[in-house]
Amino acid sequence: MVVGLGNPGPRYERTRHNAGFAVVDRLARRWGVAVDLPAERALIGAGQRGGETVLLAKPQTFMNASGEAVARLCQTRGVGLSDLILVHDDVDVSSGRVKLRLGGGDGGNRGVESVIETLGSPEFLRVKVGVGRPPEGVDTADHVLAEVVGDDDRRLLEAACDSAADAVDLVLAEGATRAMNRINQREAVHGGSPL
């Protein structure tokens, strides 16, 4: 199951905090899947990848309560921690870059914190979409919840979302360990070049 984190509603659609939703939307378009079926406080859709059914999900709780939807989906759909891929924005990853990580803390992202708390474990794969730190004097919450308006900022976010969707496809094709090695090494060497 691939879960993109974000906030529902048009007010948040073009914000950094909705990067997870944007990645799921890209995957849905690539796979020819509609993510529009209401289930367990989320919108879901199912596609076939490599002979397996993969569920795409966008929680319709607000970000800080994302874990409610994720935990219920995991329970009702029989998804274990090793089969969960969580896609979310990350201010500690530079704008335009992508990082994969298995386990670890929430990095200050309240949505990730909620998922860890409700699942009772941090041991799931995260695809982190880099949105960078806010400029000096700007609150982190304001930074991630503000609409991305500058051309350069939009271009970086779009590139990161494209790369994150590529990363999910790579995880599904080659497994988490190989995907993490390839993507994280590429990011370190090339600074976020597309896969």
Side-chain angles (χ1 to χ4, degrees):
M1 181 169 70
V2 180
V3 179
L5 296 188
N7 286 307
R11 152 71 180 88
Y12 300 101
E13 191 174 337
R14 292 183 173 89
T15 66
R16 293 172 182 86
H17 227 17
N18 272 35
F21 279 11
V23 173
V24 165
D25 289 342
R26 279 166 170 73
L27 290 168
R29 283 192 299 273
R30 287 181 186 184
W31 302 354
V33 173
V35 182
D36 58 1
L37 178 67
E40 311 300 344
R41 302 190 72 190
L43 295 176
I44 64 170
Q48 292 292 315
R49 302 304 290 171
E52 290 190 63
T53 299
V54 179
L55 193 67
L56 294 173
K58 300 194 298 186
Q60 296 300 289
T61 58
F62 281 94
M63 177 71 83
N64 295 0
S66 297
E68 296 173 20
V70 175
R72 289 175 67 172
L73 283 168
C74 285
Q75 184 177 29
T76 60
R77 308 292 166 158
V79 176
L81 292 173
S82 63
D83 292 321
L84 174 63
I85 302 171
L86 193 72
V87 185
H88 62 88
D89 63 296
D90 194 307
V91 296
D92 290 324
V93 177
S94 299
S95 294
R97 295 189 177 190
V98 172
K99 184 175 182 180
L100 270 63
R101 181 169 182 176
L102 180 61
D106 57 49
N109 185 308
R110 297 284 177 87
V112 178
E113 177 185 33
S114 174
V115 173
I116 291 171
E117 285 179 2
T118 55
L119 294 180
S121 172
E123 296 304 313
F124 51 86
L125 184 66
R126 300 95 183 275
V127 176
K128 301 178 175 198
V129 180
V131 296
R133 285 259 164 218
E136 191 172 329
V138 176
D139 182 73
T140 300
D142 292 337
H143 175 64
V144 297
L145 291 172
E147 184 172 333
V148 180
V149 292
D151 287 344
D152 286 345
D153 286 343
R154 270 200 305 270
R155 182 182 51 77
L156 285 170
L157 184 59
E158 293 288 322
C161 289
D162 288 340
S163 293
D166 292 343
V168 170
D169 271 330
L170 190 61
V171 169
L172 296 174
E174 298 189 10
T177 301
R178 290 187 69 182
M180 281 191 293
N181 288 338
R182 280 187 56 189
I183 291 163
N184 293 342
Q185 284 177 353
R186 182 180 299 261
E187 289 291 323
V189 173
H190 299 291
S193 298
L195 295 173

